[in-house]
């Protein structure tokens, strides 16, 4: 069952930042044995934005966070909590969120990272809404930020064509009128924890010459297993999420899927009977930006002037763990 129903919490601002540098499929075809045609047909991705050498996750997070705060009309001292959803933190500790909180000068805020694969963005949005609804916090800055490029193996065609860098952010605040989170459901199938991993450098595989030689300091993925898992689990999960919220899939106005793969999104939409016009897609431009993807999608949607009162938006993601989840928001 969905863990809350109709909490009066509103998205009061959105923002995003992506690095200027673009890597096209053509560029990749000169780096590994792949082609623009293969990548487009199998994934829908055409381009991805890549951070400059030395550009940190905390820096891209800060830029997206500042934009969201400005859109919300808030100053940093009004923020009670900074959450950063990320799988590519600058360092294991400190987290990215405390660095962002410090750079913002959000002197009254706490700060922590949410790291649960690509679902981290959806997890953190639900957590922030629940925290505001229960009175722990008033204004929460939730940022999804990734600089995955330094931890992607640029010689592995199975993974390097998929990912991109970037950040998106939302400010959540108590609703004064329109805006409420209708429901949220956060799940995991940890028996599949070996499907997407970054195995090196910590307790299981402490950094050594061997872990470097064995390329354990890169993202590894059983792509086809992930593909099958998501196709099997996500469509019925989303149907259940809608039903638990007293809605049918047709009553959702806009679907914000984790921007991992267009084929996955299209199959899910088909099985749920969702019209393609209701599905927001921007993975062609950004690739899979992991925890940032749903925030970047929402931010672009808002920039395009498409967010209107009375819409129901569904955000859903899946990723390493294997975690998955969904949140329904009414504008
Ligand atoms: C990665 C993915 C695009 C691969 O597509 P697929 O249809 O499953 O392809 P497979 O993995 O079965 O591989 C088919 C062939 O293409 C090859 N291939 C893989 N990547 C390639 C690339 N970039 N270019 C050309 N060929 C490639 C494989 O080596 C394989 O060749 P083989 O048959 O000679 O062994 C797809 O599985 C996928 O998107 N999975 C989900 C990944 C994801 O979303 N991860 C993030 C989750 S948060």
């Amino acid at each position: 069952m969905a863990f809350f129903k109709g909490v009066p919490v509103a998205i009061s601002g959105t923002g995003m930042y992506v690095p200027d540098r673009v890597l096209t499929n053509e560029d990749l075809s000169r780096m590994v044995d792949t082609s623009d045609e293969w990548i487009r047909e199998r994934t829908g991705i055409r381009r991805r934005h890549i951070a400059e050498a030395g550009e940190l996750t905390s820096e891209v997070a800060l830029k997206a966070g500042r934009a969201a705060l400005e859109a919300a009309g808030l100053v940093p001292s009004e923020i009670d909590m900074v959450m950063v959803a990320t799988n590519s933190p600058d360092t294991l500790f400190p987290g990215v969120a405390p660095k962002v909180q410090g750079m913002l000068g959000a002197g009254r805020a706490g700060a922590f990272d949410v790291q649960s694969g690509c679902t981290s963005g959806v997890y953190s949005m639900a957590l922030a809404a629940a925290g505001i609804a229960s009175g722990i916090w008033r204004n929460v800055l939730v940022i999804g930020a990734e600089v995955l490029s330094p931890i992607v193996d640029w010689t592995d065609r199975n993974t390097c064509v998929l990912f991109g860098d970037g950040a998106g952010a939302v400010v959540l605040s108590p609703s004064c009128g329109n805006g409420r989170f209708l429901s949220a459901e956060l799940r995991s199938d940890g028996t599949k924890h070996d499907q997407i991993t970054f195995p090196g450098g910590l307790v299981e595989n402490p950094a050594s010459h061997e872990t470097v030689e064995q390329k354990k300091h890169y993202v590894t993925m059983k792509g086809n297993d992930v593909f099958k898992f998501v196709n099997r689990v996500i469509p019925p999960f989303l149907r259940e999420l809608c039903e638990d919220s007293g809605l049918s899939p047709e009553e959702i106005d806009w679907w914000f899927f984790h921007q991992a793969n267009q084929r996955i999104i299209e199959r899910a939409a088909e099985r749920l009977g969702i019209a393609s016009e209701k599905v927001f897609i921007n993975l062609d431009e950004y690739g899979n930006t992991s925890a940032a993807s749903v925030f970047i999608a929402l931010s672009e949607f808002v920039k395009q002037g498409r967010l209107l009162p009375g819409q129901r938006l569904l955000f859903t993601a899946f990723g390493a763990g294997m975690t998955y989840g969904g949140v329904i928001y009414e504008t």
Side-chain angles (χ1 to χ4, degrees):
M1 280 294 285
F3 75 77
F4 57 63
K5 295 242 185 292
V7 299
V9 173
I11 297 175
S12 52
T14 60
M16 64 179 276
Y17 166 79
V18 291
D20 290 335
R21 191 171 141 216
V22 166
L23 193 67
T24 65
N25 291 349
E26 293 294 348
D27 296 331
L28 277 166
S29 69
R30 289 188 285 274
M31 296 161 61
V32 288
D33 182 13
T34 191
S35 66
D36 173 48
E37 194 188 3
W38 193 96
I39 302 171
R40 268 192 293 109
E41 274 178 11
R42 301 286 179 121
T43 70
I45 300 166
R46 290 169 185 270
R47 294 148 52 98
R48 67 285 292 142
H49 292 242
I50 301 293
E52 294 299 333
E55 191 173 12
L56 301 179
T57 302
S58 53
E59 293 167 350
V60 300
L62 178 68
K63 288 177 181 163
R66 278 207 171 117
L69 275 180
E70 197 178 316
L74 293 181
V75 292
S77 60
E78 292 173 287
I79 293 294
D80 302 300
M81 181 56 68
V82 178
M83 280 184 208
V84 176
T86 186
N87 300 286
S88 50
D90 300 356
T91 51
L92 180 64
F93 50 84
V96 176
K99 288 171 91 173
V100 171
Q101 176 262 330
M103 290 189 284
L104 277 173
R108 291 179 51 249
F112 65 95
D113 288 359
V114 176
Q115 196 250 299
S116 203
C118 298
T119 320
S120 307
V122 168
Y123 269 43
S124 56
M125 218 190 293
L127 195 55
I132 294 168
S134 64
I136 308 176
W137 309 308
R138 191 168 168 78
N139 300 309
V140 181
L141 176 59
V142 188
I143 307 171
E146 302 284 7
V147 176
L148 292 159
S149 50
I151 62 166
V152 164
D153 178 359
W154 293 100
T155 66
D156 175 14
R157 68 176 183 177
N158 292 294
T159 51
C160 75
V161 302
L162 302 175
F163 298 102
D165 299 333
V170 294
V171 176
L172 301 190
S173 309
S175 175
C176 32
N178 290 344
R180 61 189 181 129
F181 280 81
L182 296 184
S183 57
E185 179 86 40
L186 309 176
R187 292 197 190 166
S188 172
D189 180 353
T191 64
K192 309 268 186 302
H193 63 83
D194 61 343
Q195 291 194 353
I196 309 173
T197 65
F198 178 89
L202 290 170
V203 178
E204 194 173 318
N205 297 289
S208 66
H209 291 296
E210 287 73 36
T211 60
V212 174
E213 274 158 21
Q214 292 161 7
K215 298 195 165 192
K216 288 195 189 299
H217 300 268
Y218 291 120
V219 175
T220 70
M221 189 180 66
K222 297 178 180 172
N224 197 256
D225 289 348
V226 173
F227 192 73
K228 287 191 213 144
F229 173 82
V230 174
N231 285 334
R232 180 171 54 80
V233 169
I234 294 299
F237 164 69
L238 291 173
R239 183 173 295 284
E240 199 184 317
L241 172 65
C242 290
E243 281 167 7
D244 281 353
S245 316
L247 298 168
S248 67
E250 301 87 72
E251 290 175 285
I252 301 295
D253 296 294
W254 282 98
W255 293 77
F256 293 88
F257 283 89
H258 171 41
Q259 304 287 305
N261 182 314
Q262 189 156 346
R263 278 193 301 158
I264 290 176
I265 296 175
E266 281 171 357
R267 278 189 194 198
E270 199 179 302
R271 281 183 58 192
L272 289 160
I274 306 166
S276 57
E277 304 82 62
K278 291 181 166 186
V279 179
F280 187 85
I281 292 189
N282 64 1
L283 59 79
D284 48 322
E285 175 64 26
Y286 302 113
N288 178 349
T289 56
S290 191
S293 97
V294 288
F295 297 115
I296 292 176
L298 176 63
S299 182
E300 282 216 316
F301 182 77
V302 171
K303 277 205 273 186
Q304 292 164 4
R306 296 158 87 176
L307 190 74
L308 302 170
Q311 288 169 332
R312 291 193 194 103
L313 317 179
L314 190 149
F315 301 93
T316 183
F318 51 85
M322 294 293 290
T323 58
Y324 55 103
V327 166
I328 304 178
Y329 176 73
E330 191 173 70
T331 55

